[in-house]
Every structure is written in structure tokens, then in C-alpha cells.
């Protein structure tokens, strides 16, 4: 008699890692964030072709990231109560249309409107995309979140490369070619949405019973930990904003680099950031999430402080190390927050990732203002001190303590 392989029981469905879904949602994250990252990568082109000031460029960054950051927690909070699988392709459609019309935008105000729709699409995508990664993670949440988040960071890294190859030659109108990314993502997300819908029949996020029985002291500790995470995200996001938005101008001014050459610095920084994002999840599964967050911040300090004083060649090496180390905590921060507040997967994803966008938005405006007022070099030197705030990580609860709260 033949043997029959039993299908996974519904009770065990959450323990199975669905790798094909993880890789597809990671690819969609790549395509989504490539669209979004085209905006700051276009800054040198817009500054020359339209005569925009650094403050105006900062306002473009502010609009893009603030729309995304404000809406992400709202979307996450709503979909924690009522998941909307087909919101994923809908969000990418908004981004795709925004990118298409951006290619032909005739004025600063029109650019802001196009950027608004790109940010809106990103706000819809990120919380639901993170939920898909959580549902497909099984018992490997750190790895799953890394696969998902590394897609986004890889997309950000591709944007300056595409700028050097496409936009530097075709100008603003070359942005229309990036709508191909959006079209591919929309098609893939319809497949993801069907899987998501079928999984909802079997999968119900469960709040741990201990959460309702937690004492006042533990609840205060969770609120304090979330506040510390906000400060850490602030430091990381402002530094990333400074490099991704304005370091190209620094290389043009100090190293006499061309637009294409300046983008190579940003590409390397973001590329190694994607590598760091991927490595951070497995390292956190092994060594602890708090430890990885601590290392990512303080390990960056020597290089961020030295970057403004090194040669053009050595700057590549320093940027690579900064991206690798600093971004190793990106996905880890999301999972740490999700485990702090179980049952609020979309909300915590929207808070941490959305907050990163929001802090980057405020940073873009503030840094642009500082550059206009005190100069580019003093601003780049000053932001090198931001990772020192990583000392706050010592105040975060250890992973073992969080697990004890929810036993």
C-alpha cells in the first residue's frame, strides 16, 4: 500500500516558510522602491534644468516621504482590523501613474503633485507587503523580513544607477521609462493578492493572551522602548537622507565629479545598504535583535565622522562600510517592534518603516535649509555625529525580556 503525505494542518500553517511568496513580494518591494528612489536621484537634473533651490528639492523629498510616512500607520492600523489584499496592486498603480506624469511635469508645483501620488502608492504598499512577508515567514521572521526589506533597499540602490544610465542622457523625460517597473510590479501583485486572499481563510493573527495580562510596569517599558526606537530611526533616517539626497552635490563640489560619477557613490552606498539589510535578519535570529541594532548604529560612527575628510577613492570604501553596517538594523527594527506589540503587524510595520520615511522627509527639508544657510560641507560634517545616538540602544529591553512578557 502506498503512503499518503498529510497536508499541513491549519494550526501549523503559520510555521511554514513560503519562500516563493517571500521572493516575489521582495521583488515587488524592489520595483516599488526603485520608483520612489528615482525622485532624489533626479535632484541634480531638476536643479539644473528647472533652477530649483536646495530648499525646493528638500520640499520635494518632504512631500514624497511625508505622504508615505503619515499614511503608512493609518493603512496598517486599518488593515490589521480588515486586511485588503488587492490594495497592493492598487497602490503600485498610483505610483506608476505618478512616475509617468512626472516625466512631463512642467513646473515645481506639478512635480509635487506627481510625487504625492508616488508617495501614496508607497504608503499603501509597505504595510500590506510587510504583512505578506510576516504571513509567509513561518518561524523565520528575521530572515523573512530581511528578504522583504532587502528588495526595497535594492530598488533604492538601482535608482542612482538608472539615473546615470538613463536620466543623465534623457533628462526629466527619461522618468517615463521607469513606469515599466510599475507595470511589472502590478502584475506580480495580483498573484500575491490571490495568495493573500486564500491564506486569510486559514490565517488569523493571534494576540498573545499574556498581552492582556501584562502589568503596568511592562506596558510602560514597551512605550519607552518604542520611544527609543523613534530616536534611533531619526538618527538613521537623517543620515541616510543626507547621503542619498545631497552627497552627490558634495562629490560634484569637492571631487569635481560629473553627475554620472556622483551617482556611483550613492549607488554603492545603497547597494551595500541592501546587503546589510539582508544580513541583518539572519544575524538577529542568531545573536539577538537588540544586539544587531546596537552594532549597526555604533559601528557606523568612526566611518561617518571620517567620511568628509577622506580622498575620493577612499570615500567609496567608507560609504560601502557605512551602508553595510548602518542598514543591517533596518529589517531588524521592524521585527523588534512587531514582537514588542504582537497582533499589530501592519501598525508596527507602518510605524517603523513609515516613520523612517517621515524622518527622512523632515530631514530632507531641514538639511536642504541648512545647506542653503551654512553651506554643504558643514552640513555633511555635522550629520556624521548622528549615529552616536545609537548609545540609546542600551536602554532597549533585551530580546529575552520581551519573550518573558508574552509567555
Amino acid at each position: 500500500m502506498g503512503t499518503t503525505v498529510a497536508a499541513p494542518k491549519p494550526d501549523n500553517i503559520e510555521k511554514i516558510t513560503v519562500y516563493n511568496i517571500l521572493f516575489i513580494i521582495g521583488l515587488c518591494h524592489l520595483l516599488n522602491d526603485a520608483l520612489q528612489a528615482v525622485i532624489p536621484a533626479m535632484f541634480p537634473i531638476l536643479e539644473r534644468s528647472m533652477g530649483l533651490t536646495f530648499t525646493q528639492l528638500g520640499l520635494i523629498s518632504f512631500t514624497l516621504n511625508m505622504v508615505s510616512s503619515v499614511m503608512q500607520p493609518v493603512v496598517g492600523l486599518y488593515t490589521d482590523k480588515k486586511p485588503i489584499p488587492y490594495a497592493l496592486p492598487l497602490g503600485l498603480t498610483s505610483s506608476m501613474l505618478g512616475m509617468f506624469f512626472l516625466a512631463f511635469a512642467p513646473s515645481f508645483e506639478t512635480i509635487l503633485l506627481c510625487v504625492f501620488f508616488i508617495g501614496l502608492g508607497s504608503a499603501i504598499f509597505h504595510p500590506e507587503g510587510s504583512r505578506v512577508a510576516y504571513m509567509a515567514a513561518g518561524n523565520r521572521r528575521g530572515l523573512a523580513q530581511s528578504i522583504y526589506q532587502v528588495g526595497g533597499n535594492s530598488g533604492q540602490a538601482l535608482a542612482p544607477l538608472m539615473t546615470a544610465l538613463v536620466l543623465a542622457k534623457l533628462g526629466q523625460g527619461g522618468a517615463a521609462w521607469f513606469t515599466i517597473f510599475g507595470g511589472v510590479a502590478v502584475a506580480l501583485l495580483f498573484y500575491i493578492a490571490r495568495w493573500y486572499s486564500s491564506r486569510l481563510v486559514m490565517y488569523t493573527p493571534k494576540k498573545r493572551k499574556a498581552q492582556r495580562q501584562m502589568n503596568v510596569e511592562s506596558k510602560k517599558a514597551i512605550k519607552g522602548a518604542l520611544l527609543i526606537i523613534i530616536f534611533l530611526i531619526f538618527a538613521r533616517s537623517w543620515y541616510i537622507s543626507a547621503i542619498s539626497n545631497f552627497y552627490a552635490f558634495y562629490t560634484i563640489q569637492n571631487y569635481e565629479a560629473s553627475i554620472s560619477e556622483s551617482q556611483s557613490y550613492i549607488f554603492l552606498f545603497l547597494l551595500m545598504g541592501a546587503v546589510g539589510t539582508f544580513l541583518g535578519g539572519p544575524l538577529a535570529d542568531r545573536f539577538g535583535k537588540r544586539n544587531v541594532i546596537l552594532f549597526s548604529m555604533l559601528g557606523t560612527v568612526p566611518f561617518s565622522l571620517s567620511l568628509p575628510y577622506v580622498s575620493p577613492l577612499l570615500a567609496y570604501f567608507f560609504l560601502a562600510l557605512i551602508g553595510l553596517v548602518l542598514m543591517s538594523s533596518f529589517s531588524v527594527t521592524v521585527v523588534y517592534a512587531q514582537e514588542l506589540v504582537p497582533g499589530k503587524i501592519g501598525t508596527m510595520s507602518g510605524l517603523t518603516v513609515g516613520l523612517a520615511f517621515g524622518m527622512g522627509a523632515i530631514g530632507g527639508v531641514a538639511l536642504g535649509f541648512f545647506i542653503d544657510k551654512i553651506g554643504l560641507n558643514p552640513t555633511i560634517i555635522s550629520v556624521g555625529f548622528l549615529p552616536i545616538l545609537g548609545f540609546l540602544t542600551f536602554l532597549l529591553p533585551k530580546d529575552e525580556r520581551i519573550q518573558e512578557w508574552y509567555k
Side-chain angles (χ1 to χ4, degrees), residues 31-306:
L31 297 171
N32 175 85
D33 282 26
L35 290 179
Q36 188 166 348
V38 166
I39 308 304
M42 288 180 65
F43 281 179
I45 293 171
L46 294 175
E47 187 266 342
R48 290 187 179 182
S49 65
M50 303 185 70
L52 301 183
T53 66
F54 282 107
T55 301
Q56 287 177 311
L57 295 177
L59 285 171
I60 294 174
S61 177
F62 176 83
T63 301
L64 174 68
N65 293 313
M66 187 55 70
V67 170
S68 184
S69 68
V70 169
M71 291 300 297
Q72 276 195 50
V74 175
V75 172
L77 183 63
Y78 180 81
T79 55
D80 276 335
K81 299 177 181 178
K82 185 178 180 180
I84 310 175
Y86 286 91
L88 286 164
L90 179 63
L92 257 294
T93 299
S94 174
S95 295
M96 180 178 64
L97 293 176
M99 181 58 64
F100 178 78
F101 288 108
L102 176 65
F104 309 102
S107 65
F108 171 68
E109 292 76 15
T110 311
I111 289 175
L112 289 181
L113 181 62
C114 295
V115 164
F116 173 87
F117 283 103
I118 295 172
L120 179 63
S122 183
I124 295 171
F125 171 82
H126 279 97
E128 286 297 85
S130 185
R131 188 190 310 279
V132 169
Y134 185 92
M135 292 170 67
N139 56 6
R140 307 194 68 181
R141 293 178 184 172
L143 175 62
Q145 195 64 223
S146 283
I147 293 174
Y148 171 66
Q149 297 294 350
V150 78
N153 290 347
S154 299
Q156 294 171 21
L158 282 176
L161 180 62
M162 292 297 100
T163 298
L165 297 176
V166 179
L167 297 177
K169 297 178 181 179
L170 300 180
Q172 182 181 342
W177 287 97
F178 290 90
T179 58
I180 297 174
F181 287 8
V184 172
V186 169
L188 291 173
L189 286 172
F190 272 108
Y191 173 80
I192 289 289
R194 286 194 293 271
W195 176 86
Y196 184 173
S197 298
S198 66
R199 183 57 65 98
L200 283 176
V201 177
M202 300 178 288
Y203 180 93
T204 303
K206 299 177 182 178
K207 294 184 179 180
R208 300 174 191 177
K209 294 181 180 180
Q211 187 177 8
R212 295 192 297 270
Q213 302 170 354
M214 188 176 296
N215 58 40
V216 175
E217 182 180 351
S218 298
K219 290 181 179 180
K220 288 183 178 179
I222 290 175
K223 293 178 181 179
L226 290 174
L227 184 62
I228 292 170
I229 288 174
I230 290 174
F231 278 103
L232 296 175
I233 291 175
F234 154 75
R236 187 180 65 204
S237 298
W238 271 49
Y239 188 83
I240 293 172
S241 178
I243 300 299
S244 60
N245 288 335
F246 302 113
Y247 192 76
F249 296 102
Y250 182 87
T251 64
I252 293 172
Q253 176 176 303
N254 292 275
Y255 302 152
E256 298 182 353
S258 66
I259 289 180
S260 296
E261 290 170 343
S262 70
Q263 292 300 315
S264 65
Y265 287 91
I266 312 305
F267 169 70
L268 182 62
F269 170 72
L270 296 175
L271 176 65
M272 294 307 294
V275 174
T277 299
F278 178 76
L279 294 177
L283 288 173
D285 286 339
R286 181 172 181 180
F287 298 108
K289 300 171 187 65
R290 178 179 176 271
N291 292 336
V292 171
I293 294 171
L294 177 65
F295 169 75
S296 76
M297 297 296 293
L298 296 186
T300 301
V301 173
F303 306 106
S304 64
L305 292 177
S306 303

